[in-house]
Every structure is written in C-alpha cells, then in structure tokens.
Amino acid sequence: MLILKSIVQSLDCKIWETIVSLNVILQSTLSFAQRSGAHVLEFLRYLDQFGKTKVHTQLCPFFGHPNPPAPCLCPLRQAWGSLDALIGRLRAAYEENGGKPETNPFGARAVRLYLREVRDSQSKAQGISYEKKKRKRPSQQQPPEPSPPPNPI
C-alpha cells in the first residue's frame, strides 16, 4: 500500500482517478505489487468502451480509409496512442516509487503485446501505418571546403 500512496503523490489527478477506477472495476483490494498483467488487460478492455476513436471493422466499406466520406456504424474505441501514453505513465510512476521493474504489472509482456495488437488493428482499420522510426545516425561533419582565392582584377 505504501507504493500506491507514493504513486498517488507523484501523479496528477487524472491518473489518480484512473488508478481508483482500476481498483473499483477489478473489485479488488490487491496492492499493485500483487497485480499482474491480466489485471491491467482487464482494465484496458474496460476503458475501451469509453473511446472516441472510430475503428472500422473489416466488413465496413471504409476499412483502410483514413478519411471516410460518410458516417458508419463501426465502434468507438480508445486510441492506441492514449492507451500507450497511459500505460507509460503508470509504468514509470510504479518504478519511480519503489516498484521493481520485474514486478511492474504495467510493463508485463501481455500488456505490451496487447498494445501492439491494438496499434496494428487500428492502423489497418484506418489506413495509417505506424512504423518504427529509424534512428538517425549522427553524421560526421565534413570540414568546410576552402573558398577559392579572389580573382585579381
């Protein structure tokens, strides 16, 4: 419970509300150290119903189109970026406040796989590609070329 209290003190109000709702939804008195990735997945699936991002189903005529010309009945879901950001903040807060990375429920393999699945399905549904950005290698600066001598007039 000490870890939870520390996490609360370091987080803003919105994330605190998220943590409280996690406990309410899971109807659990488990401490965060006792939680698993399965608990986090259950919470993410619960949050999905409050999403505002239209995710086209494969049967929708607008599947794969980023800007559909007309409305459709496809479900609204949580955007991948929102879920990823939330999990990132919760994961960092857990570890910043004494939680061990290996016991962090927000960093569980199942959570990472779920986020990847959400990202991939949303990118296909909306015709958006999320490719890893390639690292830019620092280019070696070449010495400036010497300027030609002035023309004598």
Side-chain angles (χ1 to χ4, degrees), residues 1 3-4 7 30-36 39 94 98-100 102-106:
M1 201 59 163
I3 290 176
L4 178 60
I7 290 173
L30 293 176
S31 71
F32 274 87
Q34 295 171 311
R35 295 208 186 275
S36 69
H39 294 111
Y94 180 89
K100 295 179 182 176
E102 55 272 10
T103 62
N104 190 337
F106 305 107

Side-chain angles (χ1 to χ4, degrees), residues 7 14 24 39-40 44 55 59 68 89 102 110 142 151:
I7 290 173
K14 186 164 182 80
V24 170
H39 294 111
V40 177
L44 291 176
V55 179
L59 299 175
R89 289 192 306 266
E102 55 272 10
Q142 298 176 353
N151 289 340

Side-chain angles (χ1 to χ4, degrees), residues 12-23:
D12 61 25
C13 185
K14 186 164 182 80
I15 295 179
W16 167 239
E17 291 170 2
T18 303
I19 290 173
V20 169
S21 62
L22 173 63
N23 281 330

Side-chain angles (χ1 to χ4, degrees), residues 4 38 41 45 47-48 59 76 85 91 107 116 121 126 139:
L4 178 60
L41 291 178
R45 289 184 185 111
L47 285 180
D48 209 29
L59 299 175
L76 295 175
R91 183 178 181 176
R116 186 178 305 145
S121 68
Q126 298 172 340
S139 60

Side-chain angles (χ1 to χ4, degrees), residues 4 23 26 47 67-68 83 90 105 109 113 116 121 135 137 144 146 150:
L4 178 60
N23 281 330
L26 298 177
L47 285 180
N67 299 312
L83 293 175
L90 291 170
R109 184 173 191 272
L113 291 174
R116 186 178 305 145
S121 68
R135 285 186 176 173
R137 295 185 181 180

